[in-house]
Amino acid sequence: ALKKLGVKVKILESEDMKKLGMGGVLGVAKGSNEKPKFIILEYFGRKIGKPVVLVGKGVTFDTGGLNLKPGDSMLEMNMDMSGGAAVIHAIAAIATLKIKKNVIGLIPAVENMPSGTSFRPGDILKSMSGATIEVLNTDAEGRIILADALTYAKKYNPRLVVDVATLTGAALVAVGQKASALFSRDENLIKLF
């Protein structure tokens, strides 16, 4: 359906991610039978202009990995892909409305499962940027996969990157269920929201 709206859809498979050095996405996905995907959606509403890149966390199910979540906390973890879903729907809406902007959607999609092949606390993962990530807790999978996605976003020389994620219950505690936490170094951008 997105292709009919003029959105170019590309999906990177494990081999593509290996070539790019996406050790974060690949590391988190190691414990699952489901292969990771890196979804790229490109909408060009103008011939020129730097794009806005929307990055959405797509953890299709999050058990916490080897740092297993308590059973009650795991119940709705199929919703840990809501950031990725929001990006896909935003791109669909932008394309449907034929907005005259260039917008890219990036969704690293993985399942975080415990198994004999899972990444472990103490592992060192090398991200696409070349930086290494020491895994202290396998339930920090979101920030690990987003590190690779944010590095990939640089390929577009964007004017703005918006990272949409469900990263921590602490944000829920801090701002409640009817608000979202927003972090930026750009005061003018914050005032827009």
Side-chain angles (χ1 to χ4, degrees):
L2 286 173
K3 290 180 182 179
K4 290 179 184 176
L5 294 171
V7 176
K8 182 179 175 188
V9 178
K10 183 176 179 183
I11 299 177
L12 302 182
E13 302 290 344
S14 295
E15 287 304 313
D16 304 311
M17 288 184 262
K18 281 179 190 167
K19 289 176 188 169
L20 290 169
M22 290 184 170
V25 175
L26 293 169
V28 170
K30 280 175 43 177
S32 177
N33 290 330
E34 299 296 328
K35 299 295 179 208
K37 308 288 183 193
F38 191 87
I39 304 163
I40 303 164
L41 308 173
E42 298 176 332
Y43 172 76
F44 295 102
R46 302 177 63 173
K47 291 189 193 252
I48 58 167
K50 291 181 177 184
V52 169
V53 177
L54 307 176
V55 179
K57 175 183 166 191
V59 178
T60 57
F61 197 85
D62 180 19
T63 65
L66 291 177
N67 291 109
L68 196 64
K69 293 178 183 291
D72 290 345
S73 299
M74 206 184 306
L75 181 62
E76 294 182 346
M77 284 296 106
N78 60 323
M79 298 300 291
D80 216 17
M81 44 56 74
S82 58
V87 168
I88 292 169
H89 285 277
I91 297 286
I94 289 164
T96 299
L97 296 170
K98 296 180 178 25
I99 292 178
K100 302 267 187 243
K101 299 284 181 190
N102 297 331
V103 186
I104 310 299
L106 303 176
I107 302 98
V110 299
E111 188 175 64
N112 187 19
M113 298 293 282
S115 77
T117 59
S118 293
F119 72 129
R120 301 172 299 278
D123 280 358
I124 305 292
L125 304 176
K126 188 172 182 183
S127 69
M128 185 179 175
S129 71
T132 54
I133 301 165
E134 180 182 9
V135 177
L136 300 179
N137 185 311
T138 59
D139 199 23
E141 84 298 329
R143 58 204 81 183
I144 294 172
I145 67 171
L146 288 168
D148 283 339
L150 292 169
T151 299
Y152 193 90
K154 291 179 181 180
K155 289 178 172 275
Y156 293 96
N157 190 24
R159 67 182 186 95
L160 174 67
V161 176
V162 179
D163 181 352
V164 184
T166 52
L167 282 179
T168 177
L172 182 64
V173 171
V175 299
Q177 293 187 355
K178 297 190 178 182
S180 294
L182 171 67
F183 302 94
S184 176
R185 286 182 259 161
D186 185 336
E187 288 294 324
N188 291 325
L189 180 63
I190 289 173
K191 289 175 184 172
L192 288 174
F193 294 94

